[in-house]
Amino acid sequence: MSMNKTFGSTLIIAGTTIGAGMLALPLASAGLGFTTATFTLFGIWALMVYTALLMLEVHQHADQSATLHTLAKELLGKKGQLVANFAMMFLFYALCSAYIAGGGSQLQDKLANWFGLDVLPQVGTIVFTLVIAAVVSIGTHSVDMVNRVLFTLKVIALVVMLSLLLPHIQGQHLVDMPVEKGLLISALPVVFTSFGFHGSIPSIVRYVGIDMKALRKVMIIGASVPLAIYLLWQIASQGILSQSELIANSSLGNFITALSQLLHNPMVSNSVSVFADLALATSFLGVSLGLFDFLSDTLKRKNSTSGRFQTALFTFVPPLCFALFYPQGFIMALGYAAIALVILAIFLPVAMVHVQRRQRKDGYQVMGGQPALILAASAGILIITAQFLQMAGVIPAVG
């Protein structure tokens, strides 16, 4: 059973990570050239795996069902807990609103195109939310099972997509030099957010149990699958379109249309569209599962049917209302997503481990000691700076 849970948990981590944000990666790294983009991907991947392992180091001494709410209070006190709660709620509600709005409109399109059903946009949004809410409310096991099916379909769509694209690669595009150095800073927030899965770690610990060997495997493999897929996607997109073409087609729709037209194959845009839909669904499952467990811990809801129903209301009603009544709001909120994720995935793990190592010397410790903690925190500061410079219009926003 535990092997089965480990496998399922690895897919949940990979599924949460590979969201629709993956499609923006070639646009974000358009001006970098393939080599610089690849180094950036590896660097961010190493950073995120390291901080995920830091989270496990914190979890090993806590209760199996502890979430960030409890961990932050134990190690960082009331103030730390407030920061953790705010970052978690802000990021997860913003993401859930985005997934609900995106998924709702995709579902409405599919109902219209495939079944000829003419439904109001709100209906697609509500149905999509209810389906995901039902799966998450039943528990991690049902998320695991549904995620396996979606993930398998997602991989099939990806294989179709890449098999159409990879034969058309032109080697010279991949050795192009960066257009300008400043673009690396612009790309950081987008690349960083496309490796975010840390909010789901407590749910995985609760599901697998405090088995450090299994959990480390889940984190490392779960984050490496997206890295491999991102690299293939970069080779395909940056190998087919030149940098100037990528920069010219700077919106996602234009970019996919450009790929389809270039290869004279409508299958390209169909497979990309199916992949994007599934990526959105698996990400939404992982993110809402993390939010659900976090809220159930924060609001002290029991693990009974009525308790889980109440938690589900708190998890899904606010983002649903946002997506229905204030769609511009979450687009603004997503602009701040990288900052909330830096707090959640870098600053909090680093701070908690720093405190815990002073208190106790036993158990599993991530390699690298104090220098690695300082390096990770510095990377977090760099990403936040990049995000602020983009908002202020000092450097171009991408993706």
Side-chain angles (χ1 to χ4, degrees), residues 65 67 88-89 92-93 96 132-140 142-143 199-200 202-203 206 284-317:
S65 63
T67 67
M88 179 88 183
M89 309 268 279
F92 275 43
Y93 276 138
C96 286
I132 299 281
V135 175
V136 171
S137 305
I138 295 168
T140 308
S142 73
V143 173
S200 310
S203 302
R206 176 182 286 199
F284 186 28
L285 271 176
V287 166
S288 53
L289 172 68
L291 181 61
F292 185 95
D293 284 346
F294 174 79
L295 288 171
S296 121
D297 180 32
T298 311
L299 303 167
K300 305 275 180 283
R301 295 289 152 214
K302 290 193 171 56
N303 202 3
S304 59
T305 311
S306 70
R308 292 186 78 81
F309 179 71
Q310 290 167 6
T311 308
L313 289 179
F314 283 113
T315 306
F316 293 100
V317 172

Side-chain angles (χ1 to χ4, degrees), residues 9 107 118 127 146 199 206 241 276 285 289 373:
S9 301
L107 184 63
D118 188 19
V127 171
V146 173
R206 176 182 286 199
L241 296 171
L285 271 176
L289 172 68
L373 291 179

Side-chain angles (χ1 to χ4, degrees), residues 114-149:
W114 294 355
F115 305 107
L117 293 173
D118 188 19
V119 294
L120 288 166
Q122 290 83 350
V123 175
T125 307
I126 292 167
V127 171
F128 177 66
T129 310
L130 284 174
V131 172
I132 299 281
V135 175
V136 171
S137 305
I138 295 168
T140 308
H141 182 68
S142 73
V143 173
D144 181 1
M145 293 303 129
V146 173
N147 184 65
R148 286 180 194 208
V149 176

Side-chain angles (χ1 to χ4, degrees), residues 5 11 20 25 31 43 47 88 107 118 148 153 207 276 278 304 360 366:
K5 277 190 174 179
L11 289 190
L25 280 176
L47 171 69
M88 179 88 183
L107 184 63
D118 188 19
R148 286 180 194 208
L153 294 171
Y207 186 47
L278 292 164
S304 59
R360 51 200 311 167
V366 190

Side-chain angles (χ1 to χ4, degrees), residues 11 56 70 93 95 99 130 194 260 302 324 330 335 337 355 357 364 369 371:
L11 289 190
L56 296 184
T70 342
Y93 276 138
L95 288 174
Y99 292 143
L130 284 174
S194 58
S260 302
K302 290 193 171 56
L324 287 174
F330 72 82
V355 172
R357 284 179 186 173
Y364 165 66

Side-chain angles (χ1 to χ4, degrees), residues 95-110:
L95 288 174
C96 286
S97 304
Y99 292 143
I100 287 172
S105 70
Q106 299 291 38
L107 184 63
Q108 187 208 358
D109 285 351
K110 298 288 177 285

